Amino acid sequence: YPRRMADNRSESAALLAAVRFAADKHRTQKRKDVEASPYINHPIAVAEILATVGGVTDCNVLRAAVLHDTLEDTATTKEELVALFGRAVANLVAEVTDDKSLPKKKRKKLQIAHARTLSRKAKLIKLGDKICNISDVTSSPPKNWSRKRRLEYFDWSRKVVAGCRGVNAKLEKRFDESVASGERQLMAK
Ligand code: NDP
Ligand code: ZN
């Protein structure tokens, strides 16, 4: 017998399990905006952008998007992700995780170099993440960020995304539009 194809119900259940897991892991964390929004809003927004703008239907990509900051920003281990969500999802999350033992400046540089080496699926998640962060830096930036720092964030993101091109034209277009719009709004100030 061929392996039973996952039906829509189990795919939804699998995605919801990832949402609940990420919500629990990020439960005490806030985004850096003035309102200190719940952190989980961000990974949910990334998954939503992939589905709505990118037309991504691969459930493992959407689950990994929801989980994308758990290894980097919470006490989650890769083994935990493997046990709960399988090797494919855990590997995707690991791919988009920065090595936090490195100093920040080095990490930022490495993210640019590393982007080109990511798998196609990991590039989708990186694109979604950068689209959402550009939108946040434009409309609900970290408190105390100067205009200069916000513009520098756009430049750095552009360099990361340069290494992620060629995987999804709609997401790449949305990224370009978001940066252009953000820059227009900041230049007008
Ligand atoms: P940080 O990495 O400190 O902060 C940005 C990250 O914070 C995002 O990538 C996002 O990551 C997370 N985040 C949480 N809340 C928000 C929010 N509301 N809006 C946007 N992002 C949020 O940024 P850097 O300090 O690395 O700054 C980026 C650029 O700015 C670099 O090029 C650096 O050189 C430059 N810089 C400029 C300074 C200046 O004063 N001019 C000072 C320091 C850096 P995630 O999705 O993973 O949560
Ligand atoms: Zn993120």
Side-chain angles (χ1 to χ4, degrees), residues 31 39 42-43 46 68-69 73 129 133:
R31 296 293 281 171
Y39 196 93
H42 162 70
V46 172
H68 83 270
D69 277 327
D73 297 331
D129 189 32
N133 283 337

PDB file of all heavy atoms in Angstrom, residues 31 39 42-43 46 68-69 73 129 133, ligand 2:
ATOM      1  N   ARG A  31       7.088  41.351  21.790  1.00  0.00           N
ATOM      2  CA  ARG A  31       7.828  42.007  20.716  1.00  0.00           C
ATOM      3  C   ARG A  31       8.401  43.301  21.282  1.00  0.00           C
ATOM      4  O   ARG A  31       8.060  43.714  22.386  1.00  0.00           O
ATOM      5  CB  ARG A  31       6.918  42.265  19.514  1.00  0.00           C
ATOM      6  CG  ARG A  31       6.394  40.979  18.874  1.00  0.00           C
ATOM      7  CD  ARG A  31       7.480  40.159  18.223  1.00  0.00           C
ATOM      8  NE  ARG A  31       7.850  40.686  16.913  1.00  0.00           N
ATOM      9  CZ  ARG A  31       8.887  40.248  16.208  1.00  0.00           C
ATOM     10  NH1 ARG A  31       9.654  39.282  16.675  1.00  0.00           N
ATOM     11  NH2 ARG A  31       9.164  40.773  15.031  1.00  0.00           N
ATOM     12  N   TYR A  39       4.593  38.011  21.682  1.00  0.00           N
ATOM     13  CA  TYR A  39       5.571  37.552  20.684  1.00  0.00           C
ATOM     14  C   TYR A  39       4.932  36.652  19.626  1.00  0.00           C
ATOM     15  O   TYR A  39       5.269  36.729  18.434  1.00  0.00           O
ATOM     16  CB  TYR A  39       6.735  36.817  21.368  1.00  0.00           C
ATOM     17  CG  TYR A  39       7.894  36.694  20.441  1.00  0.00           C
ATOM     18  CD1 TYR A  39       8.913  37.637  20.425  1.00  0.00           C
ATOM     19  CD2 TYR A  39       7.948  35.662  19.492  1.00  0.00           C
ATOM     20  CE1 TYR A  39       9.958  37.564  19.521  1.00  0.00           C
ATOM     21  CE2 TYR A  39       8.977  35.583  18.588  1.00  0.00           C
ATOM     22  CZ  TYR A  39       9.975  36.531  18.602  1.00  0.00           C
ATOM     23  OH  TYR A  39      10.993  36.456  17.679  1.00  0.00           O
ATOM     24  N   HIS A  42       3.901  37.385  15.937  1.00  0.00           N
ATOM     25  CA  HIS A  42       4.856  37.438  14.824  1.00  0.00           C
ATOM     26  C   HIS A  42       4.982  36.108  14.057  1.00  0.00           C
ATOM     27  O   HIS A  42       4.785  36.093  12.840  1.00  0.00           O
ATOM     28  CB  HIS A  42       6.216  37.963  15.328  1.00  0.00           C
ATOM     29  CG  HIS A  42       7.356  37.680  14.419  1.00  0.00           C
ATOM     30  ND1 HIS A  42       7.501  38.302  13.192  1.00  0.00           N
ATOM     31  CD2 HIS A  42       8.408  36.815  14.514  1.00  0.00           C
ATOM     32  CE1 HIS A  42       8.593  37.841  12.595  1.00  0.00           C
ATOM     33  NE2 HIS A  42       9.161  36.943  13.375  1.00  0.00           N
ATOM     34  N   PRO A  43       5.278  34.977  14.728  1.00  0.00           N
ATOM     35  CA  PRO A  43       5.341  33.727  13.949  1.00  0.00           C
ATOM     36  C   PRO A  43       4.022  33.373  13.266  1.00  0.00           C
ATOM     37  O   PRO A  43       4.031  32.806  12.157  1.00  0.00           O
ATOM     38  CB  PRO A  43       5.727  32.662  14.987  1.00  0.00           C
ATOM     39  CG  PRO A  43       6.020  33.359  16.261  1.00  0.00           C
ATOM     40  CD  PRO A  43       5.760  34.804  16.114  1.00  0.00           C
ATOM     41  N   VAL A  46       3.945  35.411  10.111  1.00  0.00           N
ATOM     42  CA  VAL A  46       4.855  34.884   9.090  1.00  0.00           C
ATOM     43  C   VAL A  46       4.187  33.729   8.335  1.00  0.00           C
ATOM     44  O   VAL A  46       4.190  33.690   7.100  1.00  0.00           O
ATOM     45  CB  VAL A  46       6.201  34.434   9.720  1.00  0.00           C
ATOM     46  CG1 VAL A  46       7.066  33.704   8.702  1.00  0.00           C
ATOM     47  CG2 VAL A  46       6.953  35.632  10.289  1.00  0.00           C
ATOM     48  N   HIS A  68       9.341  29.100  13.877  1.00  0.00           N
ATOM     49  CA  HIS A  68      10.666  29.513  13.395  1.00  0.00           C
ATOM     50  C   HIS A  68      11.551  30.195  14.430  1.00  0.00           C
ATOM     51  O   HIS A  68      12.766  30.183  14.294  1.00  0.00           O
ATOM     52  CB  HIS A  68      10.559  30.376  12.124  1.00  0.00           C
ATOM     53  CG  HIS A  68      10.270  31.828  12.361  1.00  0.00           C
ATOM     54  ND1 HIS A  68       8.988  32.333  12.421  1.00  0.00           N
ATOM     55  CD2 HIS A  68      11.086  32.892  12.556  1.00  0.00           C
ATOM     56  CE1 HIS A  68       9.047  33.639  12.632  1.00  0.00           C
ATOM     57  NE2 HIS A  68      10.304  34.010  12.725  1.00  0.00           N
ATOM     58  N   ASP A  69      10.963  30.807  15.460  1.00  0.00           N
ATOM     59  CA  ASP A  69      11.795  31.475  16.467  1.00  0.00           C
ATOM     60  C   ASP A  69      11.888  30.685  17.777  1.00  0.00           C
ATOM     61  O   ASP A  69      12.445  31.188  18.756  1.00  0.00           O
ATOM     62  CB  ASP A  69      11.258  32.891  16.752  1.00  0.00           C
ATOM     63  CG  ASP A  69      11.739  33.916  15.719  1.00  0.00           C
ATOM     64  OD1 ASP A  69      12.869  33.771  15.209  1.00  0.00           O
ATOM     65  OD2 ASP A  69      10.982  34.863  15.418  1.00  0.00           O
ATOM     66  N   ASP A  73      14.850  31.743  20.332  1.00  0.00           N
ATOM     67  CA  ASP A  73      14.412  32.667  21.385  1.00  0.00           C
ATOM     68  C   ASP A  73      13.750  32.020  22.603  1.00  0.00           C
ATOM     69  O   ASP A  73      13.328  32.731  23.516  1.00  0.00           O
ATOM     70  CB  ASP A  73      13.424  33.697  20.795  1.00  0.00           C
ATOM     71  CG  ASP A  73      14.082  34.574  19.735  1.00  0.00           C
ATOM     72  OD1 ASP A  73      15.299  34.800  19.834  1.00  0.00           O
ATOM     73  OD2 ASP A  73      13.379  35.022  18.814  1.00  0.00           O
ATOM     74  N   ASP A 129       9.626  35.921   7.160  1.00  0.00           N
ATOM     75  CA  ASP A 129      10.121  36.562   8.383  1.00  0.00           C
ATOM     76  C   ASP A 129      10.556  37.999   8.089  1.00  0.00           C
ATOM     77  O   ASP A 129      10.203  38.937   8.825  1.00  0.00           O
ATOM     78  CB  ASP A 129      11.317  35.734   8.901  1.00  0.00           C
ATOM     79  CG  ASP A 129      11.790  36.150  10.283  1.00  0.00           C
ATOM     80  OD1 ASP A 129      10.956  36.589  11.100  1.00  0.00           O
ATOM     81  OD2 ASP A 129      13.003  36.010  10.550  1.00  0.00           O
ATOM     82  N   ASN A 133       9.006  41.526   9.496  1.00  0.00           N
ATOM     83  CA  ASN A 133       9.827  42.437  10.294  1.00  0.00           C
ATOM     84  C   ASN A 133       9.948  43.814   9.632  1.00  0.00           C
ATOM     85  O   ASN A 133       9.989  44.833  10.321  1.00  0.00           O
ATOM     86  CB  ASN A 133      11.204  41.815  10.572  1.00  0.00           C
ATOM     87  CG  ASN A 133      11.133  40.757  11.661  1.00  0.00           C
ATOM     88  OD1 ASN A 133      10.203  40.774  12.478  1.00  0.00           O
ATOM     89  ND2 ASN A 133      12.071  39.839  11.680  1.00  0.00           N
TER      90      ASN A 133
HETATM   91 ZN    ZN B   2      11.070  35.981  13.261  1.00  0.00          ZN
END
